[in-house]
């Protein structure tokens, strides 16, 4: 058997699993990658001290990297060696690619099963026949992500140079940051984190824009790209994602700005221009890149609570962002507006939304809220910490956001393991759950008599 | 015009409003009663000191009484005179009756509009023709509530006597407590509150049972009463309410017991029998009578958070309990189970639940959560208090529960007014919203083309 033939067989096998049990594929791939990254990090050469890291720290960092979360139990810049940081970056890259391709494959599976003629890759349908849809998808995802990452790195590299960083170090920091930004990972290898760049527009604007591109999701990027000459004709998914994302960014930024404007420990001490920039960063990072240029731990209780809500919603579907996703929120809100108006159909942008989609949105958000609630309850019992900081860290892990009030390193091992489980479920569980629900559809012949309980 | 004729005309007018704009009726009646009770309390004779109370304190207490909440800004037993306490008791009685009748009227309106033949008062249908359904309903509610309250008072009266309280004082305290228990009001005129009775089964068992009867709701009481010879044939609403109520009681009691068992400031210091009793009281009062025999302020963070969830759910529909109601939770859970199994219909107890009911449940719970979230955000900004205690007080007010970590008296006036609004909306808003949603049903001729956004 020649090599191309061998590869073709492997590709067909992957295609088969992807078609028939996409959820199992997602869990299997992610668990394997996390296991490998954990082993690679659990080595003496991975730390600057040359000592073998604790297993839980290695597992936590690997999960946080592959699930593009950004929560850390040890400081990325000082604890891990360059080898360790390189492993983390590769973990982020594979994790980000994995999320985007798997979510897109799940989306394909759903649309195929439901029998819609309109597919995710409508534009490139004809020429994908040879490679198979899945192979074509993966290629498109890789091209798009590398293109954005290279662009970001090319913008950031000269900035580090002008700050007096040596050329090689500048290149490394620019590449790491570019990968971390596009994949919404929130990891930083800069010695003092992002704090010194709180007023640095050259650094923070690419951060804001790169984060947003990564967080709207691959289907939106592809759809906008293929429809770039006739932007009015983008899909309902694209319209819903972009409008909800923009509304959350604007609303979140204004509210966080209002809450923190006079807080001397965060925005209050900054000049006006820096304050505006820092507010925008604080407004976009909950959805869900998790970078912070001001000290989250010093923010007001109300800012934490608002950020909780923003993180829980998260970013776009099939993106590197987490949370229940902006379309889920949009569909829920539209359903409630329709209910309040007494309409039979849920309508938006001159389109009707299938009731089955609304049921999935309800299940995803309700199950997400339940997981957050139960995890919070467990962590409150495992520690003596208060609700405000526990809830923040739990939602940050579940929504793979990575913002932190600073308690993660202080948690007991059991608490850290709980966050590992939360990051994994938040990353893999939400999207596979939604796909699994959308794929199931049992029909019963016998219908029971109807009866109405009283509600409210 | 003779008196009976005059009364008959008034009754017909009430019947007309009740039929055609029940929501406006509910808001109007409650606002008027609260205004009158506020004026009656805003008098020098209402206080033991003989000084005129602050207007916000009078408004807060009146709202808390009429909305049967039980949150207080001043101590009921020591601040208010006997006249003041009597006004509070009358407020509770009118509020409790009002909630039960209005909710039942709304239920009637919904079932009439939807055109179901099965009515709330099926059993007594034939003989209600003369008085009108609404008049008959009010009579049945009054009879049922007075019967339970008299029974409770007769059980509690000898207990106070045996504790050495003078006869007249015993009678007063027994009547006040009986009214407060059945109406799930949570007000107490005993000098040291309920704390001295933490191990008193004679006091606490009537509290637990009376609370439960009041909290399952009038439709359930009536249904069980009329079907007492064939309990298997109760309505779906009754079955759902009782099973969910029981599950929340058992689950909540076990969890709270586990969290507090060794807390020396709450259960830990008590003998075993007292501990069991106190746990049961702590397990039933979040749904939503709000009596506490142990110090809520000394409970563990996890107990607060669990109690938050239990209070938010609350009790039965058309009951004196608040919250989004147990049937709302049950219907949501059933819908998610059906979705996970891929079933087309939501089924339980050999019955199918109308999708319209599920949409109302989603709207009620989502809007409730939004109100709680926004109020929490506002109160966090108005004070320097932390999320744990703010969230607890906000949910307690919204769900008209009345449990408190003790911060209500410490709030600024603006915060107290916010709680007043929350109590009013929680009491009136939830049920009128649900009815209004169920009554609306617009049909459009043109249906838009369907499109599926990606969820999760
Ligand atoms: K992140
Ligand atoms: K109450």
């Amino acid at each position: 058997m020649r090599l191309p033939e061998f590869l073709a067989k492997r590709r067909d096998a992957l295609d088969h699993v992807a078609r028939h049990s996409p959820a199992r594929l997602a869990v299997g791939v992610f668990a394997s990658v996390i296991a490998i990254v954990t082993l690679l990090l659990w080595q003496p050469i991975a730390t600057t001290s040359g000592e073998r890291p604790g297993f839980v720290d290695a597992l936590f960092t690997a999960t946080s990297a592959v699930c593009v979360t950004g929560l850390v139990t040890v400081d990325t810049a000082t604890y891990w060696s360059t080898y360790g940081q390189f492993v983390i970056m590769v973990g982020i890259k594979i994790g980000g690619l994995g999320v985007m391709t798997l979510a897109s494959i799940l989306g394909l599976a759903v649309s195929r099963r439901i029998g819609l003629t309109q597919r995710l890759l409508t534009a490139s349908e004809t020429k994908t026949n040879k490679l198979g849809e899945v192979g074509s998808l993966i290629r498109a995802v890789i091209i798009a992500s590398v293109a954005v990452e290279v662009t970001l790195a090319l913008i950031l590299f000269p900035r580090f140079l002008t700050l007096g960083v040596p050329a090689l170090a500048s290149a490394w920091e620019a590449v790491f940051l570019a990968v971390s930004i596009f994949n919404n990972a929130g990891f930083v290898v800069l010695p003092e984190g992002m704090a010194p760049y709180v007023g640095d527009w050259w650094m923070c604007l690419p951060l804001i824009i790169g984060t947003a591109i990564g967080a709207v999701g691959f289907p939106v990027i592809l759809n906008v790209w293929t429809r770039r000459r006739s932007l009015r004709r983008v899909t309902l998914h694209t319209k819903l994602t972009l409008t909800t994302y923009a509304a959350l960014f604007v609303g979140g930024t204004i509210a966080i700005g209002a809450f923190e404007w006079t807080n001397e420990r965060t925005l209050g001490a900054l000049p006006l221009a820096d304050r505006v920039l820092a507010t925008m960063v604080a407004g976009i990072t909950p959805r869900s890149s998790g970078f912070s240029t001001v000290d989250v731990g010093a923010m007001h209780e109300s800012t934490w609570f608002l950020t909780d809500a923003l993180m829980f919603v998260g970013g776009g579907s099939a993106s590197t962002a987490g949370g229940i996703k902006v379309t889920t929120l949009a569909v829920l809100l539209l359903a409630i507006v329709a209910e309040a108006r007494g309409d039979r159909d849920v309508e938006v942008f001159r389109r009707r939304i299938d009731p089955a989609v609304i049921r999935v949105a309800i299940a995803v958000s309700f199950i997400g809220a339940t997981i957050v609630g139960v995890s919070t309850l467990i962590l409150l019992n495992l520690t003596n910490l208060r609700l405000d900081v526990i809830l923040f860290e739990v939602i940050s892990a579940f929504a793979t956001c990575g913002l932190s009030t600073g308690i993660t390193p202080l948690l007991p091992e059991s608490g850290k393991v709980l966050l590992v489980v939360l990051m994994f479920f938040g990353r893999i569980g939400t999207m596979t759950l939604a796909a699994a629900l959308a794929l199931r559809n049992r029909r019963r012949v016998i219908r029971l008599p109807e009866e109405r309980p009283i509600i409210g």
Side-chain angles (χ1 to χ4, degrees), chain A:
Chain A
M1 190 155 70
R2 286 177 307 140
L3 190 65
E5 229 175 280
F6 174 81
L7 283 177
K9 285 221 166 183
R10 293 287 83 67
R11 204 189 55 215
D12 290 351
L14 180 70
D15 209 51
H16 182 83
V17 179
R19 271 168 198 272
H20 293 90
S21 51
R24 207 180 306 166
L25 178 73
V27 172
V29 168
F30 269 82
S32 310
V33 173
I34 289 172
I36 293 167
V37 174
T38 302
L39 280 182
L40 291 175
L41 283 179
W42 193 40
Q43 306 297 336
I45 54 159
T47 66
T48 45
S49 66
E51 285 171 33
R52 181 185 286 272
F55 179 74
V56 171
D57 287 334
L59 173 68
F60 194 99
T61 308
T63 310
S64 185
V66 176
C67 295
V68 289
T69 307
L71 285 176
V72 289
T73 53
V74 294
D75 181 46
T76 312
T78 56
Y79 183 83
W80 301 108
S81 65
T82 306
Y83 159 80
Q85 294 172 354
F86 184 77
V87 170
I88 290 170
M89 189 184 75
V90 173
I92 292 169
K93 184 71 201 144
I94 294 174
L97 277 180
V99 167
M100 286 190 291
T101 46
L102 280 171
S104 302
I105 289 172
L106 291 171
L108 265 183
V110 170
S111 68
R112 191 183 283 135
R113 183 78 65 94
I114 287 158
L116 293 183
T117 48
Q118 136 213 38
R119 293 283 167 80
L120 211 66
L121 287 172
T122 326
S124 48
E125 188 92 73
T126 37
K127 62 175 188 174
T128 63
N129 288 338
K130 233 164 73 188
L131 255 179
E133 269 177 328
V134 171
S136 168
L137 240 174
I138 293 176
R139 209 184 52 175
V141 167
I142 291 176
I143 292 172
S145 66
V146 171
V148 178
E149 284 159 359
V150 167
T151 311
L152 283 172
L154 289 177
I155 295 169
L156 295 171
F157 172 61
R159 181 57 187 150
F160 285 111
L161 284 181
T162 58
L163 289 169
V165 180
L168 198 65
S170 287
W172 166 235
E173 287 174 1
V175 169
F176 190 99
L177 196 55
V179 170
S180 190
I181 287 174
F182 174 72
N183 290 292
N184 276 245
F187 277 89
V188 172
V189 289
L190 307 168
E192 296 165 80
M194 295 299 293
Y197 310 100
V198 63
D200 190 332
W201 289 76
W202 191 347
M203 200 75 107
C204 289
L205 267 192
L207 173 76
I208 291 171
I209 296 166
T211 282
I213 295 174
V216 294
F218 180 67
V220 172
I221 297 173
L222 192 72
N223 185 232
V224 169
W225 180 256
T226 53
R227 292 271 179 228
R228 64 191 175 280
R229 284 179 226 286
S230 51
L231 279 178
R232 281 160 174 261
R233 290 174 55 216
V234 294
T235 60
L236 176 63
H237 176 74
T238 298
K239 287 179 188 163
L240 268 188
T241 301
L242 292 180
T243 47
T244 316
Y245 193 99
L248 288 175
F249 171 52
V250 173
T253 301
I254 291 172
I256 292 175
F259 295 168
E260 295 294 322
W261 204 253
T262 57
N263 183 345
E264 286 298 319
R265 297 172 60 206
T266 59
L267 298 180
L270 303 172
L272 184 63
D274 295 14
R275 253 194 251 196
V276 171
L277 186 62
T279 308
M280 289 201 298
V281 170
I284 202 143
T285 53
R287 199 168 328 88
S288 59
S289 62
F291 292 97
S292 46
T293 54
V294 294
D295 181 9
V296 174
M299 284 177 170
H300 196 276
E301 288 270 318
S302 53
T303 312
W304 284 350
F305 190 62
L306 177 66
T307 305
D308 287 343
L310 293 174
M311 291 193 296
F312 184 72
V313 174
S317 296
S319 79
T320 51
I324 61 167
K325 305 298 172 345
V326 292
T327 41
T328 308
L329 175 72
V331 164
L332 277 181
L333 288 176
L334 291 168
I336 285 162
V337 169
E339 182 61 23
R341 295 171 56 183
D343 290 345
R344 180 179 53 169
D345 292 339
V346 176
E347 295 170 353
V348 64
F349 292 124
R350 308 290 309 154
R351 285 288 180 280
R352 176 163 54 90
I353 297 176
D354 183 352
V357 170
I358 295 158
R359 287 203 304 273
V360 173
I362 290 154
V364 165
S365 51
F366 196 86
I367 292 171
T370 305
I371 288 169
V372 166
V374 171
S375 305
T376 301
L377 209 49
I378 294 172
L379 218 48
L380 283 172
N381 272 307
L382 288 177
T383 67
N384 284 319
L385 295 164
R386 302 189 71 153
L387 179 64
D388 44 11
V389 289
I390 293 282
L391 187 64
F392 194 97
E393 224 76 3
V394 164
I395 294 183
S396 183
F398 168 76
T400 65
C401 178
L403 288 172
S404 174
T405 60
I407 63 163
T408 295
L410 314 173
L411 293 178
E413 302 266 284
S414 54
K416 289 175 184 170
V417 171
L418 178 67
L419 290 189
V420 165
V421 174
L422 265 176
M423 289 190 283
F424 190 79
F425 184 87
R427 185 73 281 175
I428 319 302
T430 310
M431 64 180 187
T432 51
L433 175 76
L437 292 180
L439 288 174
R440 274 168 168 277
N441 201 9
R442 289 200 300 157
R443 294 263 161 183
R444 277 226 213 151
V445 180
I446 302 160
R447 298 194 87 180
L448 295 172
E450 193 172 281
E451 196 173 334
R452 300 172 65 96
I454 308 170
I455 295 297

